[in-house]
Each structure stands twice: as C-alpha cells, then as structure tokens.
Amino acid sequence: DRRQRQMCIRDRSRAIVLRIHKLDDEKRIAEVYTECRGFLSFRISQGGGKRSKMKSTYFLPLNLLELEYDYRERFPLQTINELSLLSSMQMSSFNPYKSAIILFLSEFLVHILRKEPKNEELFTFLVDSFEWLERSDTDFPSFHLALVTQITRFLGIPPFMDSYVPGYYFDMQESSFVEMPPVHGVFLAPEYATLLAAMYRVPYEDMHLLELSRQDRREYLKILIHYYQLHFPGFTDMKSLTVLSDLFE
C-alpha cells in the first residue's frame, strides 16, 4: 500500500471526453484524452444523488473537462478527485446531424488516440475544432471529413503536400502524390487526390465552398477509413458509420 501511495501523482489537466461505458450498475468507465498525459481511463460512480446526476452529464462525448486526479502509471483505471465542465457540446447534441458527427468522431478518436502519447498541439487542435462545431449553424456537413483529414498532421501520416500537382494520383501507402498509379494498386484517382489536398488545407468556415454531394462525402469517408486502416494496425470497422451514412442520405 505504501509503495502504491508513493507511485501516485496528483495531476490537474484538461481532458476531452471520448467515450463512457458501463462497468456495473453503479460504476462507469470514462475514456478521455488529457492534455498532460494523453489517453486515460477513469472509473466514475453513477450515484443517485443530485450532484452525481449532474456530474454524469459532464461526460457527454467531446465535452471539455478540467480534472484533478491521482495518476498511477501501472493502473488501467485512474481515480478522479475533482472535476469541472469547461465547455459542452450540449447544443450540438440536440441537432441529429451534429449528434451523428459527434458519435462518429468519439468512436474514431478512441481508435486512434488509445496508444498516442501526450501531444499538446493535437489537444489544442481538437479543442478548437469542437468549439467551432458547437458554434456552427449550417456549414458543418463536411466537418468530420476535414477533421479526420487534418488530424493526420499530428499522427505522423500527413499527405506530403509538397508533392501535390493537380491531376496526380495519391499513393496511400507512401502518403505522397505521384504522376502515375503505383504498381501496388493502393491509390486515389486524381479526382479524390485533389479532394484530399483540399480537405487537408481548408479552414472549417470555408468547407462549404468545396460543394460536395452526399455521394462525394460517403465515398471520401470510405477512403479516409481505408487510409487509417493501412497506417493503424488494428483499426477496425466503425459501428457509427452506418448511423452517419443513413442520416446524411
């Protein structure tokens, strides 16, 4: 016990809620991405009191929290001492389209951030992105596509933009634009290579200028998922894709 107490570090950090799932009738596991330690899992109680119910609403996907917790390196579940809500995706959760995007992104981020170390630039990118989504009224249908494309720069798999030339193919294995289709056959045709380059650079507020059809969005999202499956071993099929596709029909 003494050894465990000595290994315990009291931390305070901002954290993005990714997912919460049930452990038993009274306990939940919250998976979050923290600013100071990356991906962490916490055990939280689901009591019956007013205070407990209020705090359970803090753990909606993509909410931004400030946590004070005891960190034990070898423990799979950490313990929260204090928490506060810094910003909420509550308004977005009432919009069925935004809600589907949030569901997709929370599942996607669990997949890719589980083994990612601390990355303050990535954390800031996500916070700023979700704040934009919460504020946006109309120009968000391609938000998830832009985020999933642009986050590659923090994950070591960005497209090599210096190689981009209009009309080139995109080699999905080498992450570069090439004049001729690569012999391995894993590439994007010029149409989608151009879209990838545009999505990588476009500010969120200008996404609507790309004028994508529903079919364009569906096909491009399939391309992105395939790209991550190539570069992240163990990246599995995503359950939320069906909901997202159905809603944007």
Side-chain angles (χ1 to χ4, degrees):
D1 289 344
R2 180 179 301 173
R3 237 188 342 256
Q4 290 178 355
R5 284 196 299 269
Q6 289 174 346
M7 291 169 59
C8 173
I9 301 171
R10 179 63 57 89
D11 274 350
R12 179 176 288 275
S13 176
R14 294 191 299 169
I16 299 167
V17 179
L18 301 180
R19 182 170 64 180
I20 186 167
H21 51 92
K22 188 174 181 178
L23 189 61
D24 57 37
D25 289 342
E26 294 186 353
K27 294 184 176 64
R28 303 289 186 270
I29 294 175
E31 296 173 324
V32 307
Y33 187 66
T34 68
E35 187 171 21
C36 72
R37 292 194 182 272
F39 187 93
L40 290 176
S41 296
F42 291 91
R43 181 190 289 110
I44 59 175
S45 297
Q46 189 78 27
K50 183 177 179 181
R51 182 177 173 83
S52 296
K53 287 181 180 179
M54 179 187 68
K55 287 192 175 181
S56 69
T57 65
Y58 289 3
F59 288 93
L60 296 175
L62 309 190
N63 278 1
L64 181 65
L65 309 177
E66 183 172 51
L67 305 178
E68 183 181 284
Y69 57 93
D70 295 326
Y71 175 72
R72 294 176 171 84
E73 184 177 0
R74 298 184 182 181
F75 281 44
L77 297 176
Q78 310 300 328
T79 302
I80 296 173
N81 296 314
E82 295 291 337
L83 79 160
S84 58
L85 181 64
L86 298 180
S87 65
S88 170
M89 301 297 292
Q90 184 174 9
M91 295 305 297
S92 294
S93 66
F94 293 129
N95 182 308
Y97 298 99
K98 284 188 178 183
S99 184
I101 288 174
I102 290 171
L103 180 66
F104 165 76
L105 288 175
S106 64
E107 184 181 5
F108 168 77
L109 291 171
V110 167
H111 278 296
I112 66 166
L113 296 181
R114 185 177 296 279
K115 295 182 180 179
E116 283 296 307
K118 165 188 171 180
N119 186 329
E120 293 182 2
E121 290 185 356
L122 169 57
F123 187 90
T124 299
F125 167 76
L126 291 173
V127 169
D128 292 345
S129 296
F130 301 147
E131 287 179 351
W132 183 91
L133 179 62
E134 178 73 356
R135 293 193 308 268
S136 175
D137 292 325
T138 57
D139 298 331
F140 61 82
S142 296
F143 171 81
H144 56 301
L145 303 178
L147 185 148
V148 171
T149 304
Q150 293 175 23
I151 200 176
T152 58
R153 70 173 61 115
F154 304 102
L155 302 173
I157 56 168
F160 182 52
M161 294 303 298
D162 287 349
S163 65
Y164 176 68
V165 175
Y168 271 29
Y169 298 81
F170 181 69
D171 184 328
M172 294 181 72
Q173 289 188 358
E174 299 299 325
S175 302
S176 62
F177 298 90
V178 293
E179 186 175 3
M180 300 297 293
V183 295
H184 54 64
V186 186
F187 63 89
L188 300 185
E191 175 188 0
Y192 282 106
T194 298
L195 179 56
L196 174 70
M199 276 291 180
Y200 186 75
R201 295 181 293 199
V202 69
Y204 293 135
E205 57 269 21
D206 293 336
M207 289 183 297
H208 64 284
L209 299 177
L210 298 178
E211 297 183 345
L212 300 181
S213 67
R214 291 184 176 91
Q215 180 65 21
D216 290 334
R217 291 192 188 98
R218 280 198 302 270
E219 290 302 315
Y220 185 65
L221 183 55
K222 290 179 184 177
I223 287 167
L224 288 175
I225 296 301
H226 183 44
Y227 185 66
Y228 277 91
Q229 288 171 338
L230 286 172
H231 294 277
F232 279 77
F235 192 104
T236 58
D237 292 335
M238 298 179 58
K239 298 176 182 178
S240 56
L241 274 178
T242 302
V243 177
L244 193 64
S245 297
D246 291 345
L247 196 59
F248 280 94
E249 284 289 344

